[in-house]
Amino acid sequence: MAETTPNAAATGHSGGQGRPMRDSGKERVSALNILKFAGAFVAFLIGSGYASGQEIMQFFTAYGIWSIGGLLIALVLFAWLGKVLMNYGHRHRDLGPDHMADQGFRYYCGKYFGAFLAWFIPVFLLLVCIVMTSGAGATLAQYFGLPNWVGSAGMCALVLVTNFFGFKRIVDVIGIVGPVIIVFSVVIATVAIAANPGGLAQVGEHASTFAGMANATNGAPLWALAGLLYVAYNVTGSLPFFTQTGGTACSAREAKWGGIVGGIAFIGAAILMNIALLCHIEDVAQLEVPTLFLSDLISPVISIIFAVILMGGIYSTAAPMMWTSVNRFAPEGTKRNKAVLVVFSIIIMLIVSSPLSYGQLMGIVYPYTGYIGIAFIACVIVRQIIEAYNKKKGLDVETPLFFKNKE
Protein backbone atom coordinates (compact mmCIF):
# COMPACT_ATOMS: atom_id res chain seq x y z
CA MET A 1 0.00 0.00 0.00
CA ALA A 2 1.25 3.49 -0.78
CA GLU A 3 2.65 5.52 2.07
CA THR A 4 -0.12 8.14 2.13
CA THR A 5 -1.70 10.03 4.97
CA PRO A 6 -5.36 9.40 5.85
CA ASN A 7 -5.84 13.05 6.72
CA ALA A 8 -3.85 16.19 7.27
CA ALA A 9 -3.35 15.53 10.98
CA ALA A 10 -1.21 12.52 10.23
CA THR A 11 1.11 14.32 7.85
CA GLY A 12 4.67 14.70 9.12
CA HIS A 13 5.50 14.26 12.81
CA SER A 14 5.85 16.11 16.06
CA GLY A 15 8.91 17.99 14.77
CA GLY A 16 6.56 20.19 12.77
CA GLN A 17 7.87 19.25 9.34
CA GLY A 18 6.07 19.84 6.11
CA ARG A 19 4.61 17.02 4.09
CA PRO A 20 7.31 14.64 2.80
CA MET A 21 7.60 14.55 -0.98
CA ARG A 22 6.60 11.26 -2.62
CA ASP A 23 7.82 9.63 -5.78
CA SER A 24 5.23 9.36 -8.49
CA GLY A 25 5.16 6.42 -10.84
CA LYS A 26 7.99 3.97 -11.26
CA GLU A 27 11.15 4.98 -9.43
CA ARG A 28 14.20 5.81 -11.49
CA VAL A 29 17.38 4.02 -10.49
CA SER A 30 20.85 4.86 -11.80
CA ALA A 31 23.79 2.60 -10.94
CA LEU A 32 26.09 5.60 -11.45
CA ASN A 33 24.12 7.65 -8.93
CA ILE A 34 24.21 4.79 -6.42
CA LEU A 35 28.00 4.65 -6.74
CA LYS A 36 28.18 8.44 -6.39
CA PHE A 37 26.16 8.40 -3.19
CA ALA A 38 28.15 5.45 -1.86
CA GLY A 39 31.35 7.36 -2.62
CA ALA A 40 30.08 10.43 -0.77
CA PHE A 41 29.09 8.21 2.17
CA VAL A 42 32.59 6.74 2.35
CA ALA A 43 34.34 10.05 1.71
CA PHE A 44 32.69 11.89 4.58
CA LEU A 45 33.46 9.12 7.08
CA ILE A 46 37.11 8.74 6.11
CA GLY A 47 39.47 10.91 8.06
CA SER A 48 42.86 10.66 9.69
CA GLY A 49 41.75 7.89 12.05
CA TYR A 50 40.55 5.49 9.37
CA ALA A 51 43.23 6.22 6.76
CA SER A 52 46.07 6.12 9.29
CA GLY A 53 44.84 2.81 10.67
CA GLN A 54 44.65 4.16 14.23
CA GLU A 55 40.84 3.88 14.40
CA ILE A 56 40.92 0.31 13.12
CA MET A 57 43.66 -0.52 15.64
CA GLN A 58 41.78 0.80 18.69
CA PHE A 59 38.26 -0.31 17.79
CA PHE A 60 39.06 -3.68 16.22
CA THR A 61 42.66 -4.95 15.90
CA ALA A 62 43.35 -4.55 19.64
CA TYR A 63 40.82 -7.34 20.32
CA GLY A 64 42.81 -9.92 18.36
CA ILE A 65 41.00 -12.45 16.22
CA TRP A 66 37.65 -11.36 17.72
CA SER A 67 38.10 -8.06 15.87
CA ILE A 68 36.61 -9.70 12.79
CA GLY A 69 33.36 -10.25 14.71
CA GLY A 70 33.28 -6.58 15.70
CA LEU A 71 33.78 -5.55 12.08
CA LEU A 72 30.92 -7.77 10.89
CA ILE A 73 28.64 -6.06 13.43
CA ALA A 74 29.82 -2.68 12.12
CA LEU A 75 29.23 -3.72 8.50
CA VAL A 76 25.60 -4.69 9.10
CA LEU A 77 24.85 -1.55 11.14
CA PHE A 78 26.55 0.85 8.73
CA ALA A 79 24.68 -0.56 5.73
CA TRP A 80 21.33 -0.50 7.54
CA LEU A 81 21.71 2.97 9.07
CA GLY A 82 23.01 4.39 5.80
CA LYS A 83 19.90 3.06 4.07
CA VAL A 84 17.54 4.45 6.74
CA LEU A 85 19.06 7.93 7.02
CA MET A 86 19.50 8.48 3.30
CA ASN A 87 15.92 7.36 2.73
CA TYR A 88 14.74 9.85 5.36
CA GLY A 89 16.61 12.59 3.51
CA HIS A 90 14.96 11.60 0.24
CA ARG A 91 11.48 11.65 1.80
CA HIS A 92 12.10 15.19 3.11
CA ARG A 93 14.11 16.64 0.26
CA ASP A 94 11.75 19.63 0.16
CA LEU A 95 13.05 20.83 3.54
CA GLY A 96 16.45 21.90 2.29
CA PRO A 97 19.81 21.62 4.08
CA ASP A 98 19.11 24.34 6.64
CA HIS A 99 16.32 22.42 8.37
CA MET A 100 16.78 18.77 7.46
CA ALA A 101 19.37 17.95 10.15
CA ASP A 102 17.49 19.58 13.03
CA GLN A 103 14.21 17.99 12.00
CA GLY A 104 15.93 14.65 11.51
CA PHE A 105 17.35 14.60 15.04
CA ARG A 106 13.96 15.56 16.48
CA TYR A 107 12.13 12.98 14.37
CA TYR A 108 14.29 10.08 15.50
CA CYS A 109 15.14 11.18 19.04
CA GLY A 110 12.20 13.28 20.20
CA LYS A 111 11.90 16.92 21.20
CA TYR A 112 14.48 17.06 24.00
CA PHE A 113 17.14 14.48 23.10
CA GLY A 114 16.85 15.55 19.47
CA ALA A 115 17.41 19.20 20.39
CA PHE A 116 20.42 18.19 22.50
CA LEU A 117 21.98 16.29 19.59
CA ALA A 118 21.31 19.17 17.20
CA TRP A 119 23.69 21.27 19.35
CA PHE A 120 25.99 18.55 20.63
CA ILE A 121 26.98 17.24 17.19
CA PRO A 122 28.63 20.53 16.06
CA VAL A 123 30.68 20.48 19.28
CA PHE A 124 31.61 16.84 18.67
CA LEU A 125 32.67 17.65 15.10
CA LEU A 126 34.98 20.34 16.50
CA LEU A 127 36.55 17.68 18.73
CA VAL A 128 37.01 15.46 15.69
CA CYS A 129 38.79 18.38 13.98
CA ILE A 130 41.19 18.40 16.92
CA VAL A 131 41.89 14.68 16.48
CA MET A 132 42.40 15.08 12.74
CA THR A 133 44.72 18.04 13.14
CA SER A 134 46.76 15.94 15.56
CA GLY A 135 46.70 13.13 12.99
CA ALA A 136 48.26 15.43 10.39
CA GLY A 137 51.13 16.15 12.79
CA ALA A 138 51.59 12.45 13.59
CA THR A 139 51.67 11.53 9.89
CA LEU A 140 54.38 14.03 8.96
CA ALA A 141 56.33 13.21 12.13
CA GLN A 142 56.38 9.46 11.46
CA TYR A 143 57.23 9.65 7.78
CA PHE A 144 59.24 12.85 7.32
CA GLY A 145 60.64 13.26 10.85
CA LEU A 146 59.15 16.73 11.34
CA PRO A 147 58.00 17.91 14.79
CA ASN A 148 54.34 17.07 15.40
CA TRP A 149 53.34 20.70 15.75
CA VAL A 150 54.53 21.54 12.22
CA GLY A 151 52.05 19.24 10.47
CA SER A 152 49.27 20.14 12.90
CA ALA A 153 49.83 23.89 12.48
CA GLY A 154 49.93 23.56 8.70
CA MET A 155 46.67 21.61 8.59
CA CYS A 156 44.97 23.98 11.02
CA ALA A 157 46.05 26.98 8.93
CA LEU A 158 44.79 25.36 5.71
CA VAL A 159 41.39 24.61 7.26
CA LEU A 160 41.22 28.13 8.72
CA VAL A 161 41.99 29.86 5.41
CA THR A 162 39.54 27.68 3.49
CA ASN A 163 36.71 28.39 5.92
CA PHE A 164 37.61 32.07 6.19
CA PHE A 165 36.70 32.60 2.53
CA GLY A 166 33.64 30.32 2.60
CA PHE A 167 33.46 26.61 2.07
CA LYS A 168 30.31 25.20 0.48
CA ARG A 169 31.65 22.85 -2.20
CA ILE A 170 33.84 20.62 -0.06
CA VAL A 171 31.74 17.56 -0.92
CA ASP A 172 33.12 17.73 -4.46
CA VAL A 173 36.62 17.36 -3.02
CA ILE A 174 35.95 14.58 -0.55
CA GLY A 175 33.95 12.71 -3.17
CA ILE A 176 37.26 12.21 -5.00
CA VAL A 177 39.62 11.74 -2.04
CA GLY A 178 37.47 9.18 -0.19
CA PRO A 179 37.28 6.50 -2.90
CA VAL A 180 41.00 6.98 -3.66
CA ILE A 181 41.84 6.24 -0.02
CA ILE A 182 39.63 3.15 -0.10
CA VAL A 183 41.40 1.83 -3.22
CA PHE A 184 44.86 2.48 -1.76
CA SER A 185 43.83 0.88 1.55
CA VAL A 186 42.63 -2.26 -0.22
CA VAL A 187 45.81 -2.52 -2.31
CA ILE A 188 48.12 -1.91 0.65
CA ALA A 189 46.22 -4.36 2.87
CA THR A 190 46.23 -7.06 0.19
CA VAL A 191 50.00 -6.78 -0.35
CA ALA A 192 50.66 -6.70 3.41
CA ILE A 193 48.63 -9.87 3.94
CA ALA A 194 50.47 -11.58 1.08
CA ALA A 195 53.80 -10.56 2.65
CA ASN A 196 53.04 -12.53 5.83
CA PRO A 197 50.00 -14.79 5.32
CA GLY A 198 50.94 -16.97 8.28
CA GLY A 199 50.74 -14.01 10.66
CA LEU A 200 46.99 -14.39 11.07
CA ALA A 201 47.36 -17.97 12.31
CA GLN A 202 49.88 -16.78 14.92
CA VAL A 203 47.66 -14.07 16.42
CA GLY A 204 46.96 -16.20 19.49
CA GLU A 205 50.69 -16.17 20.35
CA HIS A 206 50.72 -12.40 20.86
CA ALA A 207 48.41 -12.04 23.86
CA SER A 208 50.89 -9.79 25.68
CA THR A 209 51.07 -7.47 22.66
CA PHE A 210 47.30 -7.06 22.53
CA ALA A 211 47.17 -6.51 26.31
CA GLY A 212 49.47 -3.50 25.94
CA MET A 213 47.43 -1.85 23.19
CA ALA A 214 44.87 0.90 23.75
CA ASN A 215 41.34 -0.17 22.88
CA ALA A 216 37.92 1.45 22.64
CA THR A 217 36.48 -0.17 25.79
CA ASN A 218 39.22 0.94 28.20
CA GLY A 219 41.01 -2.37 28.45
CA ALA A 220 37.93 -4.57 28.70
CA PRO A 221 37.75 -7.36 26.07
CA LEU A 222 34.35 -6.20 24.80
CA TRP A 223 34.90 -6.53 21.05
CA ALA A 224 31.17 -6.46 20.22
CA LEU A 225 30.68 -3.21 22.15
CA ALA A 226 33.70 -1.72 20.39
CA GLY A 227 32.11 -2.50 17.02
CA LEU A 228 28.86 -0.86 18.12
CA LEU A 229 30.70 2.20 19.46
CA TYR A 230 32.52 2.62 16.16
CA VAL A 231 29.27 2.78 14.23
CA ALA A 232 27.59 4.96 16.87
CA TYR A 233 30.08 7.82 16.95
CA ASN A 234 30.44 7.82 13.16
CA VAL A 235 26.77 7.75 12.21
CA THR A 236 25.48 10.21 14.81
CA GLY A 237 27.84 12.93 13.64
CA SER A 238 27.10 12.15 10.01
CA LEU A 239 23.29 12.45 10.09
CA PRO A 240 23.27 15.98 8.59
CA PHE A 241 25.42 14.86 5.67
CA PHE A 242 23.67 11.54 5.05
CA THR A 243 20.18 13.05 5.02
CA GLN A 244 21.21 15.86 2.70
CA THR A 245 22.89 13.37 0.36
CA GLY A 246 19.73 11.25 0.28
CA GLY A 247 17.77 14.37 -0.57
CA THR A 248 19.60 14.67 -3.88
CA ALA A 249 18.64 11.16 -5.04
CA CYS A 250 16.18 10.75 -7.92
CA SER A 251 14.38 7.93 -6.10
CA ALA A 252 14.12 6.26 -2.73
CA ARG A 253 15.82 3.15 -4.12
CA GLU A 254 18.86 5.17 -5.17
CA ALA A 255 19.09 6.74 -1.72
CA LYS A 256 18.73 3.41 0.07
CA TRP A 257 21.21 1.52 -2.10
CA GLY A 258 23.69 4.39 -1.90
CA GLY A 259 23.71 3.96 1.89
CA ILE A 260 23.93 0.16 1.71
CA VAL A 261 26.79 0.09 -0.80
CA GLY A 262 28.61 2.87 1.05
CA GLY A 263 28.45 0.99 4.35
CA ILE A 264 29.68 -2.24 2.77
CA ALA A 265 32.57 -0.51 0.97
CA PHE A 266 33.64 1.43 4.07
CA ILE A 267 33.80 -1.59 6.38
CA GLY A 268 34.85 -4.04 3.65
CA ALA A 269 38.12 -2.12 3.23
CA ALA A 270 38.47 -1.92 7.03
CA ILE A 271 38.18 -5.73 7.29
CA LEU A 272 41.09 -6.18 4.87
CA MET A 273 43.16 -3.55 6.68
CA ASN A 274 42.42 -5.18 10.04
CA ILE A 275 43.61 -8.58 8.78
CA ALA A 276 46.78 -6.96 7.45
CA LEU A 277 47.43 -5.32 10.83
CA LEU A 278 46.90 -8.63 12.60
CA CYS A 279 49.42 -10.26 10.28
CA HIS A 280 52.04 -7.68 11.34
CA ILE A 281 50.87 -6.98 14.87
CA GLU A 282 54.31 -6.98 16.53
CA ASP A 283 55.54 -4.29 14.12
CA VAL A 284 52.51 -1.98 14.15
CA ALA A 285 51.11 -2.30 17.71
CA GLN A 286 52.69 0.91 19.01
CA LEU A 287 52.76 3.00 15.83
CA GLU A 288 50.71 6.19 15.53
CA VAL A 289 50.18 5.66 11.78
CA PRO A 290 50.36 1.88 11.16
CA THR A 291 49.21 2.08 7.52
CA LEU A 292 52.42 3.89 6.57
CA PHE A 293 54.38 0.88 7.83
CA LEU A 294 52.25 -1.42 5.68
CA SER A 295 52.69 0.79 2.62
CA ASP A 296 56.47 0.61 3.10
CA LEU A 297 56.20 -3.12 2.48
CA ILE A 298 55.33 -2.28 -1.13
CA SER A 299 57.71 0.60 -1.78
CA PRO A 300 58.93 3.81 -0.12
CA VAL A 301 57.50 5.64 -3.13
CA ILE A 302 54.05 4.21 -2.39
CA SER A 303 54.43 5.42 1.20
CA ILE A 304 55.11 8.96 0.00
CA ILE A 305 52.04 8.85 -2.25
CA PHE A 306 49.92 7.41 0.55
CA ALA A 307 51.17 10.06 3.00
CA VAL A 308 50.01 12.77 0.58
CA ILE A 309 46.64 11.05 0.10
CA LEU A 310 46.28 10.68 3.87
CA MET A 311 46.86 14.42 4.35
CA GLY A 312 44.24 15.11 1.68
CA GLY A 313 41.79 12.86 3.51
CA ILE A 314 42.41 14.69 6.77
CA TYR A 315 41.87 18.06 5.11
CA SER A 316 38.76 17.05 3.18
CA THR A 317 37.08 15.81 6.34
CA ALA A 318 38.33 18.39 8.84
CA ALA A 319 37.35 21.38 6.70
CA PRO A 320 33.60 20.61 6.35
CA MET A 321 33.41 19.57 10.00
CA MET A 322 34.93 22.89 11.04
CA TRP A 323 32.51 24.71 8.75
CA THR A 324 29.55 22.86 10.28
CA SER A 325 30.69 23.63 13.83
CA VAL A 326 31.38 27.31 13.25
CA ASN A 327 28.19 27.94 11.32
CA ARG A 328 26.10 26.44 14.08
CA PHE A 329 27.28 29.24 16.38
CA ALA A 330 27.63 32.01 13.80
CA PRO A 331 26.16 32.03 10.25
CA GLU A 332 28.59 32.28 7.36
CA GLY A 333 29.12 35.75 5.95
CA THR A 334 29.02 37.54 9.30
CA LYS A 335 31.90 39.13 11.24
CA ARG A 336 31.02 36.90 14.17
CA ASN A 337 31.54 33.84 11.96
CA LYS A 338 35.14 34.79 11.26
CA ALA A 339 35.77 35.57 14.94
CA VAL A 340 34.40 32.18 16.04
CA LEU A 341 36.49 30.48 13.35
CA VAL A 342 39.68 32.08 14.66
CA VAL A 343 38.82 31.22 18.28
CA PHE A 344 38.08 27.59 17.39
CA SER A 345 41.38 27.35 15.47
CA ILE A 346 43.32 28.66 18.46
CA ILE A 347 41.58 26.15 20.75
CA ILE A 348 42.49 23.32 18.36
CA MET A 349 46.17 24.27 18.32
CA LEU A 350 46.33 24.68 22.10
CA ILE A 351 44.94 21.17 22.63
CA VAL A 352 47.03 19.61 19.86
CA SER A 353 50.16 21.21 21.37
CA SER A 354 49.44 19.55 24.74
CA PRO A 355 51.34 16.42 25.88
CA LEU A 356 48.47 14.21 24.66
CA SER A 357 49.44 12.07 21.66
CA TYR A 358 47.31 11.49 18.57
CA GLY A 359 46.33 8.02 19.77
CA GLN A 360 45.45 9.31 23.24
CA LEU A 361 43.26 12.09 21.83
CA MET A 362 41.39 9.57 19.69
CA GLY A 363 40.94 7.27 22.67
CA ILE A 364 39.38 10.12 24.68
CA VAL A 365 37.14 11.77 22.07
CA TYR A 366 35.71 8.86 20.09
CA PRO A 367 34.65 6.07 22.49
CA TYR A 368 32.74 8.24 24.98
CA THR A 369 30.87 10.02 22.22
CA GLY A 370 30.00 6.56 20.94
CA TYR A 371 27.85 5.90 24.01
CA ILE A 372 25.64 8.86 23.07
CA GLY A 373 25.57 7.44 19.57
CA ILE A 374 24.29 4.10 20.90
CA ALA A 375 21.29 5.94 22.35
CA PHE A 376 20.77 7.53 18.94
CA ILE A 377 20.86 4.14 17.20
CA ALA A 378 18.31 2.82 19.72
CA CYS A 379 16.03 5.74 18.84
CA VAL A 380 16.36 4.99 15.13
CA ILE A 381 15.45 1.34 15.75
CA VAL A 382 12.36 2.34 17.71
CA ARG A 383 11.30 4.80 15.02
CA GLN A 384 11.75 2.13 12.33
CA ILE A 385 9.48 -0.21 14.29
CA ILE A 386 6.86 2.56 14.47
CA GLU A 387 7.19 3.18 10.73
CA ALA A 388 6.70 -0.53 10.01
CA TYR A 389 3.59 -0.56 12.24
CA ASN A 390 2.14 2.50 10.47
CA LYS A 391 2.80 1.02 7.05
CA LYS A 392 1.03 -2.20 8.07
CA LYS A 393 -1.98 -0.16 9.20
CA GLY A 394 -2.07 1.79 5.94
CA LEU A 395 -1.00 5.07 7.55
CA ASP A 396 1.71 7.49 6.53
CA VAL A 397 4.91 5.94 7.89
CA GLU A 398 5.67 9.06 9.94
CA THR A 399 2.32 9.19 11.67
CA PRO A 400 2.82 9.63 15.46
CA LEU A 401 2.44 6.34 17.35
CA PHE A 402 -0.64 7.43 19.29
CA PHE A 403 -2.37 9.23 16.42
CA LYS A 404 -6.09 8.51 16.28
CA ASN A 405 -8.11 8.96 13.11
CA LYS A 406 -11.18 11.01 14.10
CA GLU A 407 -12.95 10.49 10.82
Side-chain angles (χ1 to χ4, degrees):
M1 182 174 290
E3 296 177 0
T4 54
T5 306
N7 58 35
T11 302
H13 52 76
S14 58
Q17 297 176 198
R19 184 182 181 87
M21 294 178 68
R22 308 297 182 195
D23 291 304
S24 59
K26 188 175 181 180
E27 291 187 333
R28 293 178 294 164
V29 178
S30 165
L32 186 61
N33 281 345
I34 290 175
L35 291 177
K36 180 181 71 175
F37 299 140
F41 180 106
V42 169
F44 188 81
L45 291 175
I46 285 180
S48 63
Y50 183 99
S52 69
Q54 188 63 228
E55 270 185 9
I56 298 171
M57 288 273 285
Q58 291 197 26
F59 282 87
F60 302 107
T61 311
Y63 298 92
I65 198 65
W66 289 104
S67 59
I68 297 176
L71 279 160
L72 291 177
I73 291 174
L75 187 148
V76 172
L77 286 175
F78 264 121
W80 178 72
L81 287 165
K83 168 190 170 183
V84 169
L85 297 180
M86 284 198 176
N87 183 46
Y88 174 86
H90 177 73
R91 290 205 311 251
H92 295 276
R93 57 194 182 277
D94 58 331
L95 283 174
D98 294 336
H99 302 289
M100 191 180 292
D102 281 1
Q103 297 289 5
F105 280 124
R106 286 172 171 79
Y107 174 66
Y108 286 109
C109 303
K111 180 179 179 180
Y112 298 107
F113 186 42
F116 164 75
L117 287 178
W119 281 99
F120 171 78
I121 291 305
V123 175
F124 166 64
L125 294 181
L126 178 63
L127 295 177
V128 175
C129 286
I130 294 172
V131 174
M132 292 194 177
T133 304
S134 178
T139 299
L140 294 185
Q142 179 173 320
Y143 198 81
F144 298 105
L146 297 173
N148 277 39
W149 68 267
V150 173
S152 296
M155 182 59 66
C156 190
L158 184 59
V159 171
L160 171 64
V161 171
T162 302
N163 279 269
F164 194 80
F165 290 101
F167 197 65
K168 295 184 178 180
R169 298 188 179 276
I170 188 63
V171 174
D172 293 335
V173 177
I174 67 174
I176 297 173
V177 174
V180 170
I181 293 177
I182 287 291
V183 171
F184 262 79
S185 297
V186 169
V187 171
I188 290 170
T190 301
V191 174
I193 293 170
N196 186 28
L200 189 62
Q202 299 171 356
V203 167
E205 301 173 10
H206 301 294
S208 59
T209 300
F210 291 113
M213 294 173 63
N215 68 41
T217 53
N218 295 318
L222 304 175
W223 55 270
L225 177 59
L228 179 57
L229 286 172
Y230 186 67
V231 178
Y233 94 80
N234 268 296
V235 171
T236 307
S238 304
L239 179 142
F241 181 80
F242 287 173
T243 54
Q244 290 175 34
T245 300
T248 65
C250 295
S251 69
R253 289 179 64 192
E254 279 188 359
K256 291 176 182 178
W257 277 105
I260 292 171
V261 174
I264 292 173
F266 184 66
I267 297 300
I271 290 174
L272 276 178
M273 186 60 70
N274 176 66
I275 293 174
L277 293 171
L278 289 174
C279 288
H280 298 271
I281 193 61
E282 286 194 313
D283 296 313
V284 302
Q286 301 303 321
L287 295 181
E288 292 280 87
V289 189
T291 50
L292 286 181
F293 171 86
L294 298 181
S295 64
D296 264 332
L297 296 175
I298 302 177
S299 165
V301 175
I302 295 297
S303 287
I304 294 175
I305 295 173
F306 189 74
V308 173
I309 292 174
L310 175 55
M311 295 297 288
I314 293 172
Y315 164 74
S316 66
T317 305
M321 287 184 174
M322 173 71 94
W323 189 87
T324 301
S325 298
V326 172
N327 278 268
R328 183 62 179 175
F329 294 92
E332 185 181 76
T334 64
K335 292 182 178 179
R336 184 183 175 191
N337 176 275
K338 293 178 173 58
V340 172
L341 176 59
V342 172
V343 171
F344 280 10
S345 298
I346 293 173
I347 291 173
I348 289 174
M349 280 309 303
L350 287 175
I351 296 177
V352 169
S353 301
S354 72
L356 291 173
S357 70
Y358 169 50
Q360 288 173 320
L361 281 170
M362 183 179 296
I364 293 171
V365 173
Y366 288 5
Y368 292 104
T369 305
Y371 289 107
I372 295 176
I374 289 175
F376 170 74
I377 292 176
C379 291
V380 174
I381 292 173
V382 171
R383 176 55 64 178
Q384 286 303 109
I385 293 173
I386 294 173
E387 286 191 8
Y389 174 83
N390 286 337
K391 188 174 183 179
K392 184 177 179 180
K393 294 293 185 181
L395 301 172
D396 184 282
V397 293
E398 296 187 10
T399 301
L401 181 60
F402 299 107
F403 168 77
K404 294 182 179 180
N405 190 347
K406 297 181 180 179
E407 293 184 357

